[in-house]
Amino acid sequence: MFVFQLLPARRLAALLFASSMLTQPGWAEDLVRFSVQGAAAEKVEGDLRNASALLTAVGDEKTGAEDLFAAAQAEYGALVTTLYALGHYSPVVHVLVDGREAATIPPLDAPGRIGSVVVTVDPGPKFKFSQAKVAPLAPETELPEDFTAGKTAASGLVREAVQAGIEGWREVGHAKAEVASQDVVADHRANTLSADVRLAPGPRLRFGSLSVTGQQRMSERRILKIAGLPEGEVYSPELLKRSADRLRRTGVFKSVSLTEAEQVRAPDLLDISATVVEEKTRRYSIGAEIASFDGLDLSGYWLHRNLLGGGERLKVEAEIANIGAQSSGVDYVLGVSLDRPATFTPDTTLGLTTEVGHLAEEDFTADVATLGVNLSHFVSERLTARVGLEYSYAKVEDFFDTYTYKHFALPIGATWDSRDDKLDAKKGYYLDGEIRPFLGYGITDSGLRVKADGRAYVTFGEERPVTFAARGQIGAVLGGATILGTPRDYLFYSGGGGTVRGQPYQALGVEVARIYGDKIGGMAFAAGTAEVRARVTSKIGVVGFADVGYVSPFDLGDEFGEWHAGAGLGLRYATGFGPIRVDIATPVKGSIDTGDGVQFYIGIGQAF
């Protein structure tokens, strides 16, 4: 039977007030009183508070007796470990739970209610190294600079020095290097720490065989070819990492793990096992970008990651651009590419490409087709080189006549990319350069097209980071080609989201009205962009930017070139696949007026 009794109003109000006080953060913080004593208190208190298990529990509102008691018993280890890392090896830590030392309370006698916890810490004196030695060391091994006699004996320095010593031996082939003995003694009378660690390098080893498990559709022979593990060569952690990176780079695998064998195979071979998990073979993607003057761009692709069982990537992609553009028609492009990794060398990818399309630009229309073969070589994690051979055909109609351009091209380029995030870079550099000799037939001239694109990023602050980003582009057609004899897609324009925001798409070209009757692309080009990106919240950021572009009918810096500029503000919203970008820009008058009015740009990822 239940008995329900109404309480007087004042008693009920008092109970409600007490209940609310128990749930308030301020009351919860009063549960734990934390103090640091001694001469070093001011220097270490911040680190100790950050490491405190009890303060963390209170901050997470875990103030039940069970949670507090568990945190109190963990408090000793958390604080002592932190003090060792700061060089204090004789600390005194007390954690009193309702007046009882937490360490003395048996787990089976844990309190059912806790009224208060008092933590007092005396860090004691700071210790210095009396001896700091890790030996033997491989040639050119560098230990931490502060791991030396007379410096503060932070425990982390000992670990770093030992790890550096082991890695030094592994880098010269001693894969089984390990600690043979360690003599680390604290002298509490002299406040010093003696660290003497002996290493056992073990034998110098060579790579043995590579075995593979986990593959389903991928050919084992091709996995071995792509990994390119140099069997018989001296062991190297860097070469092992490169083998794993090659397999990941194919996109075929969801995960790749390379593991060294526990035992050495006679006479000096270290076998490696690879465990892989394959991705789904097919992938689809669609994208959209819209600008107020340039219209809507729609793009998408279908990808098969492992077409023939050897890591071949078949990609079919299509784009419809400038839908609803104010100064041009709609462009259609369809492309097909097939890439085969580990062709000729483990780091070389062979590619076959073909593309057809219809371009309806402001100053010309064209039906185009390209067929090409290319090789991409991964020189390092950051550097990629490429070379190709292309044949291009274009039937162009403009204000003056109809032209048929036919030419072969030999594009040669390289890309250096050290950005931390390709869609939202905070630091690093990007540099892409290409030279493209071309041999024309019929009315098409021969010449050399060069272009470079450089970007740099630097960020200040952590909670509310501010990123400064800059981009520069430059290009030219050289070698005697004329402006009408150069393939139209080799000429340069400025304006739009990729060059100067605030100016209409391809607004700046070469004004040739007095010669040919209209506008055409230029033979020389330069553009620059500067952005300041500030994070307002964890998801929202704002951007201020200024862009400038230059086009000349002949050479960079000559008297015939024209320039224009734009500036504006943007908003960014962070997502799991890159920031959503909204930019609003207005033209800034240059040597000629190429734009009028505000332009809007919406897309995914930063502008560059």
Side-chain angles (χ1 to χ4, degrees):
M1 180 176 66
F2 293 91
V3 178
F4 184 81
Q5 180 180 2
L6 292 175
L7 296 173
R10 282 183 294 180
R11 288 183 61 192
L12 178 60
L15 285 174
L16 290 175
F17 175 76
S19 176
S20 67
M21 288 300 294
L22 290 175
T23 61
Q24 293 304 309
W27 182 89
E29 289 176 5
D30 288 340
L31 273 174
V32 179
R33 284 176 288 173
F34 193 100
S35 64
V36 183
Q37 305 167 352
E42 190 174 317
K43 296 181 179 179
V44 302
E45 183 167 357
D47 294 290
L48 291 173
R49 285 182 171 273
N50 290 334
S52 170
L54 279 162
L55 293 181
T56 299
V58 170
D60 293 339
E61 298 184 5
K62 295 180 179 180
T63 56
E66 184 178 345
D67 291 326
L68 284 175
F69 182 66
Q73 293 205 314
E75 188 81 338
Y76 299 97
L79 299 182
V80 169
T81 299
T82 300
L83 288 169
Y84 281 8
L86 297 171
H88 296 267
Y89 291 90
S90 57
V92 177
V93 178
H94 290 291
V95 182
L96 303 180
V97 177
D98 289 331
R100 299 171 63 191
E101 193 72 52
T104 66
I105 302 175
L108 296 180
D109 192 27
R113 179 187 176 278
I114 294 178
S116 68
V117 183
V118 178
V119 180
T120 58
V121 184
D122 183 350
K126 183 176 288 188
F127 283 50
K128 297 184 180 299
F129 284 116
S130 61
Q131 179 180 222
K133 185 177 181 181
V134 175
L137 296 176
E140 300 182 7
T141 300
E142 293 186 5
L143 299 182
E145 183 179 352
D146 289 336
F147 184 70
T148 185
K151 294 288 188 177
T152 298
S155 61
L157 285 174
V158 180
R159 290 192 295 271
E160 290 175 23
V162 171
Q163 188 61 36
I166 290 175
E167 289 301 319
W169 282 114
R170 285 174 56 83
E171 287 171 5
V172 294
H174 297 259
K176 297 299 183 181
E178 61 183 0
V179 174
S181 65
Q182 51 185 322
D183 186 13
V184 181
V185 179
D187 184 342
H188 292 272
R189 292 174 300 178
N191 297 330
T192 60
L193 183 76
S194 172
D196 184 6
V197 182
R198 305 298 298 177
L199 302 181
R204 195 175 192 216
L205 302 178
R206 296 179 296 140
F207 281 115
S209 60
L210 175 65
S211 59
V212 185
T213 59
Q215 75 276 20
Q216 295 177 324
R217 295 171 292 271
M218 185 75 166
S219 161
E220 181 177 358
R221 181 185 64 84
R222 284 291 294 156
I223 292 177
L224 298 177
K225 177 73 173 178
I226 294 169
L229 189 74
E231 186 173 346
E233 290 189 16
V234 174
Y235 169 88
S236 165
E238 178 61 27
L239 293 179
L240 188 63
K241 180 178 180 299
R242 289 188 66 175
S243 291
D245 289 343
R246 292 182 187 118
L247 293 172
R248 296 187 184 103
R249 199 164 56 216
T250 64
V252 173
F253 304 108
K254 186 181 299 182
S255 69
V256 175
S257 176
L258 267 58
T259 306
E260 302 168 9
E262 291 290 335
Q263 301 298 324
V264 176
R265 179 161 58 89
D268 58 355
L269 298 177
L270 183 64
D271 294 329
I272 306 295
S273 60
T275 303
V276 298
V277 178
E278 294 184 7
E279 284 273 16
K280 294 180 179 179
T281 55
R282 296 171 180 83
R283 179 181 176 183
Y284 310 85
S285 177
I286 58 173
E289 186 165 342
I290 189 169
S292 55
F293 194 92
D294 310 339
L296 174 66
D297 293 350
L298 297 176
S299 61
Y301 69 77
W302 174 87
L303 174 69
H304 195 300
R305 290 187 171 94
N306 191 19
L307 184 65
L308 303 174
E312 301 86 0
R313 292 164 60 93
L314 175 66
K315 190 175 186 180
V316 180
E317 48 191 332
E319 182 180 26
I320 305 175
N322 302 332
I323 302 171
Q326 298 182 34
S327 62
S328 65
V330 180
D331 296 344
Y332 307 89
V333 178
L334 175 66
V336 180
S337 62
L338 178 63
D339 294 330
R340 182 180 186 270
T343 302
F344 305 125
T345 79
D347 290 309
T348 305
T349 297
L350 172 67
L352 303 174
T353 61
T354 183
E355 185 176 278
V356 295
H358 174 78
L359 307 179
E361 305 298 342
E362 181 181 359
D363 54 312
F364 71 90
T365 61
D367 294 311
V368 298
T370 300
L371 182 65
V373 58
N374 60 78
L375 292 172
S376 297
H377 186 75
F378 294 88
V379 181
S380 69
E381 289 184 6
R382 297 178 176 178
L383 179 62
T384 305
R386 61 187 182 273
V387 63
L389 179 63
E390 296 178 359
Y391 173 77
S392 295
Y393 169 92
K395 185 175 182 180
V396 178
E397 182 177 350
D398 67 4
F399 52 85
F400 189 72
D401 205 347
T402 300
Y403 311 86
T404 299
Y405 293 96
K406 295 180 288 185
H407 72 280
F408 281 97
L410 184 68
I412 303 171
T415 302
W416 174 272
D417 191 351
S418 64
R419 294 174 294 177
D420 58 336
D421 185 337
K422 290 178 173 54
L423 289 178
D424 190 11
K426 302 290 191 305
K427 60 182 180 180
Y429 302 91
Y430 173 90
L431 179 62
D432 181 82
E434 182 182 85
I435 60 172
R436 180 180 286 260
F438 59 94
L439 177 65
Y441 295 89
I443 67 165
T444 310
D445 292 338
S446 299
L448 174 69
R449 186 180 192 260
V450 297
K451 188 175 181 182
D453 181 356
R455 311 171 193 182
Y457 309 85
V458 60
T459 297
F460 300 94
E462 295 182 3
E463 292 186 7
R464 295 288 183 267
V466 176
T467 300
F468 294 89
R471 181 184 188 185
Q473 301 178 75
I474 191 169
V477 178
L478 310 171
T482 63
I483 197 168
L484 282 182
T486 300
R488 291 298 172 88
D489 58 341
Y490 283 14
L491 298 177
F492 298 100
Y493 296 86
S494 180
T499 50
V500 179
R501 287 161 289 183
Q503 298 286 353
Y505 176 65
Q506 294 191 348
L508 181 61
V510 174
E511 300 293 337
V512 290
R514 61 184 182 275
I515 303 175
Y516 299 114
D518 213 322
K519 183 182 70 176
I520 196 172
M523 300 283 278
F525 157 82
T529 294
E531 285 194 352
V532 179
R533 306 169 182 171
R535 181 70 62 84
V536 178
T537 70
S538 61
K539 292 287 187 181
I540 298 174
V542 294
V543 175
F545 58 85
D547 304 339
V548 62
Y550 168 91
V551 175
S552 170
F554 302 113
D555 299 313
L556 287 169
D558 63 24
E559 59 183 304
F560 303 101
E562 305 284 359
W563 67 277
H564 65 174
L569 299 172
L571 187 67
R572 304 290 185 265
Y573 182 80
T575 68
F577 49 85
I580 296 175
R581 179 180 79 253
V582 179
D583 287 336
I584 304 173
T586 185
V588 178
K589 289 184 180 298
S591 55
I592 58 173
D593 186 5
T594 56
D596 183 20
V598 174
Q599 308 289 326
F600 296 86
Y601 306 87
I602 301 174
I604 296 176
Q606 296 286 1
F608 62 92

